[in-house]
């Protein structure tokens, strides 16, 4: 069957009061006054146990997790059950960030398995605020912007970071950056080790010295003297904003080591294991391996486990490469990534398509979720199951669906397993 999904909206504090409501075509939540209304941060589409989507069966809502558990071979396909178990291996989201998210990274598969098993042995409650690993899975992810979107991602090239620190001319900042400068100047230096030592030095700043380091760094970012007019303008502006949201948080300084990335609608980035990042603001479609493992590094009141974060971080320095979608045909473009759990593509039909093509057929090789972000598209299977997807609506197609037809004018995001 082709099932229209009812999905949960997660009300995290950094979310928007309008973006998701506008996407799904309903009134925005209550005006954010003290004690009223909740921001809407993420729309979850999948079977994640924290917030599984549901479908209507015989007039009653049924959890997608239960549908899959009842017949995983039928819904997921034998190959995917063997590879990932009896669960949907990906989680699709609409993310709407009105404020910056925390600095964070996700573990690779080996770190996730070892970390989860260790915390299980130590009997740390799954609901504990100090729990790092909620499951045994890594969490690669991809984000495609639905409009202007800003993020911090990965460590900036070493020479650029040192040029910024020199221009800011803050003694305390220069001191914590000494390992980075020494590594850069050594003829056979490993820049990874210099970055690691610098991040360690920043995070090891005593509590009474953090406020001084952050305040002097922020003040230097606000200066214009000694800096070229266009030198690191966005980075310095974001430093001031982050410090306003998280006063004295050492993450404000860590953020200055990272690449600032700006996306326009349709542009995407891939986040591999260990990449330190923070989404700063905007709306996008996000897909990831279905995991809840997050290691935070600052810009948050939540638990920060510095030794564990440093153990999983990728300290490779360099610029960010945006993903360029590969054309499958005249209507579908796919974002290729190394992630096994997911594959994300866009389909543009009718006037949204360069070829103005209204109808195409596709074939499932595993479970799929279709999300409409523009217009309206009818989805019909060979068995004559059919749903209409309008802006903000989504549907689940089990592996058994086989050939299906898309007909209409609009834009769909297609989430599948990376066969």
């Amino acid at each position: 069957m082709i099932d229209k999904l009812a999905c949960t909206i997660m009300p995290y504090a950094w979310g928007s009061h309008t973006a998701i409501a506008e996407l799904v075509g309903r009134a925005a939540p209550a005006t954010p006054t003290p004690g009223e209304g909740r921001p809407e941060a993420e729309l979850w589409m999948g079977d994640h146990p924290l917030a599984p989507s549901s479908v209507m069966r015989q007039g009653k809502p049924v959890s997608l997790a239960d549908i899959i558990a009842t017949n995983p071979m039928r819904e997921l396909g034998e190959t995917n059950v063997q590879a990932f178990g009896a669960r949907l291996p990906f989680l699709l989201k609409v993310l709407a960030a009105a404020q910056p998210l925390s600095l964070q990274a996700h573990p690779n598969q080996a770190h996730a398995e070892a970390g989860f098993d260790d915390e299980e042995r130590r009997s740390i409650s799954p609901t504990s605020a100090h729990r790092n690993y909620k499951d045994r899975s890594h969490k690669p992810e991809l984000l495609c912007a639905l409009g202007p979107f800003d993020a911090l991602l990965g460590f900036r090239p070493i020479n650029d970071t040192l040029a910024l620190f020199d221009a800011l001319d803050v003694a305390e900042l220069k001191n914590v950056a000494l390992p980075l400068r020494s590594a850069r100047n050594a003829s056979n230096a490993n820049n990874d080790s210099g970055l690691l030592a610098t991040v360690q030095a920043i995070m090891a700043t005593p509590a009474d010295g953090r406020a001084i380091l952050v305040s002097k760094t922020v003040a230097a970012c606000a200066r214009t003297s000694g800096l070229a007019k266009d030198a690191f303008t966005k980075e310095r502006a974001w430093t001031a904003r982050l410090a306003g949201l998280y006063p004295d948080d050492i993450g404000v300084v860590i953020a200055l080591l990272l690449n600032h990335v700006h996306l326009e609608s349709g542009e995407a980035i891939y986040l591999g294991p260990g990449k330190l990042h923070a989404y700063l603001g905007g709306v996008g479609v996000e897909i990831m391996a279905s995991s809840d493992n997050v290691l935070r590094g600052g810009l948050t009141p939540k638990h920060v486990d510095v030794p564990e974060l440093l153990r999983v971080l990728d300290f490779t320095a360099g610029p960010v490469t945006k993903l360029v979608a590969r054309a499958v045909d005249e209507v579908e473009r796919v974002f290729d990534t190394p992630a096994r759990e997911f594959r994300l593509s866009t389909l543009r039909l009718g006037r949204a398509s360069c070829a103005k093509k209204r109808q195409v057929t596709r074939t499932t090789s595993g479970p799929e979720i279709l999300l409409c972000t523009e217009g309206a598209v009818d989805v019909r299977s060979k068995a004559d199951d059919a749903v209409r997807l309008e802006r903000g609506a989504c549907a689940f197609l089990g592996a058994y669906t086989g050939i299906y037809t898309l007909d209409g004018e609009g834009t769909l995001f297609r989430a599948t397993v990376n066969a």
Side-chain angles (χ1 to χ4, degrees):
M1 294 179 66
I2 300 174
D3 287 298
K4 212 165 184 177
L5 291 175
C7 302
T8 300
I9 295 173
M10 308 302 273
Y12 305 139
W14 47 263
S16 167
H17 276 263
T18 58
I20 291 178
E22 289 174 357
L23 177 68
V24 301
R26 60 164 171 75
T31 303
T33 55
E36 264 187 58
R38 296 194 302 174
E40 297 180 335
E42 295 179 343
L43 175 70
W44 284 29
M45 293 160 276
D47 68 345
H48 194 285
L50 189 61
S53 303
S54 63
V55 304
M56 294 300 294
R57 293 287 170 89
Q58 298 178 335
K60 296 180 180 179
V62 182
S63 165
L64 181 59
D66 291 341
I67 295 289
I68 291 173
T70 299
N71 197 336
M73 291 292 189
R74 172 181 166 86
E75 302 295 341
L76 305 176
E78 182 179 356
T79 300
N80 293 317
V81 172
Q82 289 175 349
F84 307 110
R87 64 185 182 93
L88 196 63
F90 60 83
L91 177 63
L92 185 67
K93 299 180 181 180
V94 174
L95 181 145
Q99 293 187 4
L101 282 66
S102 61
L103 274 175
Q104 58 187 262
H106 308 301
N108 63 26
Q109 188 64 43
H111 283 144
E113 292 175 2
F116 179 83
D117 292 346
D118 174 64
E119 292 184 335
E120 287 289 283
R121 281 193 299 270
R122 291 189 284 135
S123 300
I124 299 177
S125 169
T127 59
S128 169
H130 290 80
R131 177 97 187 203
N132 292 318
Y133 296 95
K134 306 298 176 62
D135 52 65
R136 301 181 81 250
S137 177
H138 66 165
K139 193 185 177 188
E141 57 190 46
L142 179 159
L143 182 131
C144 179
L146 292 179
F149 196 99
D150 287 281
L152 300 173
L153 174 56
F155 291 100
R156 186 191 300 109
I158 304 300
N159 287 336
D160 291 347
T161 292
L162 290 174
L164 171 58
F165 283 13
D166 287 342
L168 294 176
D169 196 24
V170 175
E172 290 81 359
L173 199 56
K174 288 182 177 180
N175 286 338
V176 294
L178 283 175
L180 190 59
R181 191 176 302 279
S182 297
R184 194 274 307 269
N185 292 340
S187 58
N188 59 349
N190 180 348
N191 283 335
D192 290 12
S193 65
L195 269 172
L196 168 60
T198 291
V199 173
Q200 282 178 318
I202 293 172
M203 288 191 154
T205 303
D208 57 351
R210 289 190 174 194
I212 296 172
L213 175 58
V214 173
S215 64
K216 286 191 174 182
T217 300
V218 173
C221 285
R223 282 199 322 260
T224 55
S225 61
L227 283 162
K229 185 177 180 181
D230 58 350
F232 303 102
T233 303
K234 291 180 179 178
E235 289 84 351
R236 291 188 286 124
W238 273 110
T239 298
R241 183 175 176 190
L242 293 173
L245 293 168
Y246 301 101
D248 303 337
D249 191 312
I250 204 64
V252 173
V253 180
I254 297 291
L256 278 175
L257 297 167
L258 305 181
N259 292 293
H260 174 267
V261 184
H262 178 78
L263 303 175
E264 291 295 337
S265 185
E267 294 185 320
I269 48 176
Y270 173 72
L271 289 71
K275 287 294 183 182
L276 192 59
H277 65 280
Y279 294 146
L280 299 175
V283 181
V285 172
E286 186 182 27
I287 190 168
M288 63 199 65
S290 188
S291 169
D292 201 25
N293 287 328
V294 178
L295 292 156
R296 295 177 179 85
L299 308 180
T300 178
K302 294 182 179 180
H303 174 57
V304 175
D305 185 336
V306 175
E308 189 64 18
L309 175 68
L310 295 176
R311 193 171 75 87
V312 306
L313 280 185
D314 177 357
F315 286 98
T316 305
V320 173
T321 301
K322 297 177 185 178
L323 286 181
V324 177
R326 171 177 57 84
V328 175
D329 54 28
E330 60 259 83
V331 301
E332 185 171 11
R333 291 182 169 272
V334 63
F335 295 105
D336 291 318
T337 78
R340 296 169 58 239
E341 292 84 355
F342 62 78
R343 178 180 186 267
L344 187 69
S345 60
T346 58
L347 296 101
R348 301 184 186 277
L349 297 168
R351 284 175 297 195
S353 166
C354 294
K356 295 184 171 55
K357 192 169 184 178
R358 283 186 55 92
Q359 187 179 97
V360 294
T361 59
R362 291 293 181 265
T363 305
T364 58
S365 60
E368 299 193 9
I369 292 178
L370 299 175
L371 166 68
C372 181
T373 55
E374 292 178 331
V377 178
D378 294 314
V379 188
R380 184 180 299 276
S381 73
K382 284 185 70 177
D384 254 4
D385 296 318
V387 300
R388 166 159 283 210
L389 295 182
E390 297 180 329
R391 178 177 159 86
C394 56
F396 175 77
L397 290 75
Y400 67 92
T401 304
I403 298 173
Y404 64 92
T405 301
L406 301 171
D407 188 353
E409 292 189 353
T411 300
L412 296 176
F413 279 83
R414 182 190 186 197
T416 67
V417 179
N418 197 4

